[in-house]
Amino acid sequence: MAQGPPTFQTSQDQRYVPDEDEQYFAGLRGAPGDDDLWPAQQRYEDDRYEDLADPEPWPDDPHRDDPYRRSDILVESHTDPTGWKASGPAQPPIPDDRPPAEAVSGNRLLTVLLFFAGLATSVSLWLFETQAGEVGDTASLMLAAGRITGLIGGYVLFIQLLMMSRVSWLEEWVGARDLLRWHRWLGTSLCVFVLAHIVFIVYGYALTAETGVVEQGWTIITTLPEMLSASAATIILVVISLLSIRAAKAKLPYELWHLIHLTGYLVLLLGYGHQVATGANLSGPFASVFWPALTALVISALVWGRLVEPVWLNLRHKFEVAEVVSEGGNTFSIYIDGKHLEKLPAQAGQFMRWRFLTRNGWWQSHPFSLSAAPNAQWLRLTVTAVGGHTQRLAQMKPGTPIWAEGPFGVFTAQRRTRRRALLIAGGSGIAPIRALLEDMPPDTIVIYRAGRPDELVFRGELEELAEQRDAWVRYIVGSRTDPGPQRLFTPEGLLGLVPDVSRRDVYLCGPPGLVEAAVTTLRELDVPDSQLHLDPFEF
């Protein structure tokens, strides 16, 4: 059972080794050992008497006069060139001597090429089996378009299910952010291609039979084999697509949305018989190999990612609740015990899907990030109670068994491509950000956005980690209409806090509005997408 504050392990060797950015940063601050103050400290010395009329952001802060503090609540300043005023001085940061990680853009490119190669192969099945001159009138053109869209729809369905399989190698290879983005885009495309397939086929057969479209559609459904199941699959697909629209999704309880989303597997089961029974381009010599092979790949990935890996993980580690600790307000931490935790392949910043086996919650699975780097003694999740399920989690007793899946996500320090980092958190997004800080290099800057000072979670841990790892924590506190928060995600405001932002990896986790505003500003400041790391939960 976890008790008392956690102990952080830090690197003991943080030597100064010049890097390729040395000349750039020489203009921003002195190298270690210089007597000159870092500009943030000098600005504070200049402003400390001019801004006495401004309200003090944290009057009860016991460390307000500590000259070595590495965290501050920042407010807007009308005298400082950066537009910000801190409540205390800062010390010059120490450069990092660790090499950056490799980017995964090559992996993404190869994955995209493989996707389009498979797509071209599926379409070529129609091309190779169509005789020259076979498409000569409107009816044959409609039927050809229907068969092509059907082949594309079938292929995209298999790829969608492959991305839903949660196999660890796919996420590690591509990245959760891109998988989520592709999943959304392909989901819309799948719905469009399936509906287009229906329209083209029905219209083409109606022209051929010289009947009405509605009459021909009813004839197809009632006479052709496996059409009733195909119709049910289409209805399920359309419902999932409509409920995946952000406005509709926001109005549904997460549990209901997730349950409906899982019915996507029925689309494959109900639609596969239709493909085999009536597919005009699925029985050729090559097609009889291509489609069964693709089916075997997808089913194997689903069995492995959804069944084999979770069963092995839980049999090996036997997770259970060790302790539930209040963090203030409606936020609490769940400490988790288990066997062989040192062998758990998890990293700071990742999340897992947790199913707490209580009487009222065993059927619900939720994604929660680790809020501390994993260690051999315990794991920690930090939850903000926003609904009935999360509120009940705060009442769990020690010993409650847990079923977990994962870990998931590439929101980790290993994905850095630059030597310095900026971590931006808002609300419950502080959980993975706080864990990431344990693995980040010196000179990391943390920007923590909160509505009120009492909403700041892990303030003591953040400041202790900042001291140990030569990092910096900046709190931006206030409502959306306050000058400081309004200034934060403007090019001038962000540059005032992080002058070298374009030379840093940026990790973002928080409410969608905060993330969108931050990404927009970062792109205006020419921060490449390869340096932006987001923490998507929604798989």
Side-chain angles (χ1 to χ4, degrees), residues 117-189:
L119 181 62
T121 301
S122 64
V123 173
S124 68
L125 299 177
W126 171 85
L127 182 64
F128 292 150
E129 295 182 12
T130 302
Q131 301 296 325
E134 187 173 323
V135 181
D137 56 12
T138 303
S140 59
L141 179 62
M142 292 296 101
L143 291 174
R147 290 177 179 136
I148 291 174
T149 52
L151 289 168
I152 295 174
Y155 175 75
V156 171
L157 173 60
F158 278 113
I159 299 303
Q160 277 285 74
L161 293 174
L162 180 62
M163 290 194 296
M164 291 174 62
S165 66
R166 295 182 184 166
V167 286
S168 54
W169 59 264
L170 182 61
E171 189 176 72
E172 292 172 0
W173 177 259
V174 179
R177 179 189 175 192
D178 285 309
L179 280 180
L180 180 59
R181 187 164 49 187
W182 296 348
H183 177 69
R184 289 171 174 168
W185 181 80
L186 288 177
T188 303
S189 302

Side-chain angles (χ1 to χ4, degrees), residues 259-493:
L259 180 63
I260 295 173
H261 210 64
L262 288 178
T263 60
Y265 295 119
L266 291 176
V267 177
L268 174 63
L269 296 176
L270 295 173
Y272 189 72
H274 162 69
Q275 288 182 291
V276 173
T278 61
N281 302 109
L282 301 180
S283 57
F286 184 74
S288 61
V289 175
F290 175 77
W291 290 106
L294 184 59
T295 303
L297 172 64
V298 172
I299 292 177
S300 298
L302 286 170
V303 171
W304 185 264
R306 293 280 184 167
L307 182 61
V308 176
E309 283 189 336
V311 168
W312 171 247
L313 178 76
N314 288 275
L315 288 177
R316 186 183 197 185
H317 296 292
K318 299 184 184 302
F319 301 109
E320 65 178 21
V321 174
E323 189 177 8
V324 179
V325 178
S326 174
E327 301 290 356
N330 61 343
T331 301
F332 57 93
S333 290
I334 303 172
Y335 285 83
I336 295 174
D337 195 7
K339 299 181 181 298
H340 312 296
L341 292 182
E342 72 280 358
K343 297 180 180 179
L344 181 69
Q347 301 177 51
Q350 290 188 304
F351 69 94
M352 298 176 70
R353 305 192 76 90
W354 304 92
R355 189 185 303 272
F356 298 94
L357 304 182
T358 61
R359 185 180 64 179
N360 298 322
W362 63 268
W363 55 278
Q364 301 182 46
S365 172
H366 282 254
F368 293 125
S369 290
L370 300 174
S371 61
N375 58 70
Q377 284 74 45
W378 45 263
L379 304 174
R380 187 178 70 182
L381 322 176
T382 300
V383 180
T384 299
V386 294
H389 175 67
T390 50
Q391 288 175 354
R392 287 190 294 271
L393 293 181
Q395 308 302 320
M396 288 190 302
K397 304 298 183 183
T400 301
I402 303 171
W403 181 271
E405 296 179 46
F408 303 112
V410 291
F411 193 69
T412 63
Q414 282 67 27
R415 292 296 172 130
R416 286 194 301 120
T417 61
R418 308 293 295 182
R419 294 185 180 274
R420 294 167 179 86
L422 167 64
L423 313 181
I424 301 176
S428 60
I430 191 58
I433 293 295
R434 179 255 172 263
L436 270 176
L437 186 56
E438 294 189 52
D439 287 349
M440 283 293 158
D443 198 12
T444 292
I445 296 176
V446 179
I447 296 177
Y448 186 0
R449 173 76 177 90
R452 302 188 310 271
D454 60 359
E455 294 178 355
L456 295 172
V457 182
F458 301 134
R459 187 176 181 231
E461 294 184 18
L462 289 169
E463 294 175 9
E464 182 180 351
L465 280 169
E467 188 68 33
Q468 293 175 351
R469 304 199 62 80
D470 296 302
W472 312 88
V473 183
R474 299 292 180 250
Y475 305 108
I476 307 297
V477 179
S479 68
R480 296 179 182 179
T481 58
D482 289 346
Q486 281 191 334
R487 178 180 174 79
L488 175 58
F489 294 124
T490 63
E492 298 78 12

Side-chain angles (χ1 to χ4, degrees), residues 180-200:
L180 180 59
R181 187 164 49 187
W182 296 348
H183 177 69
R184 289 171 174 168
W185 181 80
L186 288 177
T188 303
S189 302
L190 173 60
C191 190
V192 170
F193 279 117
V194 169
L195 294 177
H197 166 69
I198 295 171
V199 170
F200 285 133

